[in-house]
Each structure stands twice: as structure tokens, then as C-alpha cells.
Amino acid sequence: EPEVTQTPSHQVTQMGQEVILRCVPISNHLYFYWYRQILGQKVEFLVSFYNNEISEKSEIFDDQFSVERPDGSNFTLKIRSTKLEDSAMYFCASSRRGGASGTGKGLNTEAFFGQGTRLTVV
Amino acid sequence: GDSVTQMEGPVTLSEEAFLTINCTYTATGYPSLFWYVQYPGEGLQLLLKATKADDKGSNKGFEATYRKETTSFHLEKGSVQVSDSAVYFCALRNGGSQGNLIFGKGTKLSVKP
């Protein structure tokens, strides 16, 4: 069964360092997402990506964050200068289709999540 | 904006007890509703979903019915097992957006033998 894979499973980094979290979405999926879950809190949407550009982002996704699909298979999340409060579980997800803006009836489809990368900033 | 509210945990039950985890939502348009489960040390897995009013999603003995009149999607299971111990997240996806999921805070369920 196809699955979303994320690497590494756990990353420890020093405050101020850059980190890149990697994801391999399911191969025929077109929409890609990053979510994060700070310990004990809810899962929060960060960004969605389609057709090689960001389609939607939350307030959390500020200039410290960027996403890229460098080679047609990987989907990466970069945090330029990590802060202590960036410590969280980061989940990548992909879906075959996304919502259809403005139609009122979305082409909703299932998002498949990876196992997550636990980022610890020290 | 759109939001999901689910009952606070943790919930502790004995094996074979009846489970209800309440979830209500606020959304414009016609959202799809989901329950995700996160087992200890693992990622999020889709448990069940419903895409329109009065639909019932079901999987692994769990059920939830999309109630538009009460804007609810409560999760139920008639007889829980120790292996059901996990965190359960209610979520919605609104077709008016690009499709990102909006999650509730999660409810931790512990089932004792």
C-alpha cells in the first residue's frame, strides 16, 4: 500500500540553526501539506502546495519557513533559523486532489499522513 | 473562521465499555468531516470520514454520523479494547478552501483491561 514517508524520524538541532524536513508523498498525488503538532496541543495546518507553488498558508508559516519540491518526488520544509518554540512533531501529508475553491462543493479527498518528524530545538 | 471543538480528555474506560467522543464544528459551505487516530509513537491515520449530511462513517467498530442540524460528528464504539488506546482527532475539510484540514485538540483515550 502506498504511503507517505518522512525523514528523519527525529531531529535535534540548536537554536538558530537551519533544518530541512523531508517527505516523499504518494507518487500520483498532486497536493502536498505540512502540519505541526506542538506537544500536547492540536495539529495545526502550516502550508499547502500545488503545481509547484504555495496554494495556502497559515499565520504560523512566516518568513522563517519555506517549502520546495526540488526533484519531483521529495517535498521539503525548511526552517531557516530555528527557535525553541519550533519544537514539535511535523507531519507531511498528500492527497490526490484538494478542495475546489469557490465552488461551494469541494472535491474533497483523503489526505494521507506520514509518520512525522519530531523536531527538538535546544 | 472554521473550527472544530471536541471534548476534553483524557478519557479512561474499562475494556468493553461504550465510547462516545463528542465533536462539533463551525464551518461555511459543505465540509467533509473526519476522525483521525494517533496511536502512541505513530503518525495520524484516517479512522473514518463522512462527506455529506446524514452520512455515517465507520471503521474498526467505530462510527460517526454527520449531523448538519446539530453540526456534530460524534465518535462512538460499542465495546472498546485496550488496543484502542490512542489520541483521537476530529477534523473538517472545507471545500471552499484549498482543502487543508482543521483539527480539534484531540482526545486521549486510555482503555484499561
Side-chain angles (χ1 to χ4, degrees):
Chain A
E1 185 175 331
E3 59 181 16
V4 176
T5 56
Q6 290 185 243
T7 55
S9 57
H10 189 191
Q11 176 144 7
V12 181
T13 188
Q14 288 198 328
M15 192 168 53
Q17 294 296 306
E18 175 183 285
V19 294
I20 298 176
L21 309 182
R22 302 181 191 281
C23 169
V24 179
I26 294 172
S27 62
N28 64 347
H29 284 187
L30 302 176
Y31 292 80
F32 314 111
Y33 311 87
W34 283 101
Y35 291 80
R36 79 171 184 191
Q37 183 186 24
I38 295 172
L39 187 64
Q41 299 186 26
K42 66 178 178 180
V43 178
E44 301 171 294
F45 168 74
L46 292 178
V47 65
S48 59
F49 191 86
Y50 169 71
N51 199 26
N52 283 321
E53 62 183 22
I54 290 172
S55 50
E56 193 171 5
K57 62 182 180 179
S58 71
E59 291 177 354
I60 302 167
F61 194 87
D62 61 20
D63 292 343
Q64 293 294 319
F65 292 90
S66 62
V67 289
E68 193 177 30
R69 190 155 160 80
D71 56 13
S73 62
N74 289 285
F75 179 52
T76 61
L77 174 70
K78 181 192 291 186
I79 308 174
R80 286 190 185 79
S81 177
T82 50
K83 303 185 288 288
L84 294 176
E85 53 264 39
D86 293 327
S87 296
M89 180 74 90
Y90 288 80
F91 291 106
C92 172
S94 69
S95 63
R96 186 112 188 260
R97 298 191 296 265
S101 292
T103 65
K105 283 190 182 290
L107 300 174
N108 295 307
T109 186
E110 178 181 345
F112 290 80
F113 283 79
Q115 298 285 77
T117 293
R118 179 164 296 286
L119 176 66
T120 302
V121 182
V122 297
Chain B
D2 297 348
S3 66
V4 174
T5 302
Q6 62 182 104
M7 65 186 284
E8 297 280 333
V11 174
T12 303
L13 295 174
S14 297
E15 205 164 23
E16 298 183 2
F18 184 85
L19 169 71
T20 300
I21 301 178
N22 290 337
C23 172
T24 56
Y25 68 90
T26 302
T28 57
Y30 304 90
S32 290
L33 303 175
F34 305 83
W35 277 99
Y36 280 82
V37 58
Q38 185 180 29
Y39 297 105
E42 300 186 14
L44 293 166
Q45 301 175 29
L46 179 65
L47 180 60
L48 54 83
K49 67 179 181 181
T51 57
K52 62 182 186 296
D54 299 324
D55 270 3
K56 177 186 282 188
S58 61
N59 185 25
K60 298 181 182 179
F62 291 89
E63 292 183 341
T65 301
Y66 189 144
R67 301 282 188 205
K68 198 171 193 308
E69 63 276 14
T70 55
T71 61
S72 65
F73 193 55
H74 304 321
L75 182 69
E76 296 182 336
K77 186 173 185 179
S79 176
V80 293
Q81 305 300 313
V82 172
S83 57
D84 293 326
S85 297
V87 181
Y88 293 82
F89 293 90
C90 186
L92 71 83
R93 186 198 299 274
N94 197 328
S97 74
Q98 287 298 317
N100 57 291
L101 289 161
I102 296 169
F103 286 87
K105 289 188 176 181
T107 302
K108 183 175 182 179
L109 170 66
S110 296
V111 181
K112 307 297 184 188

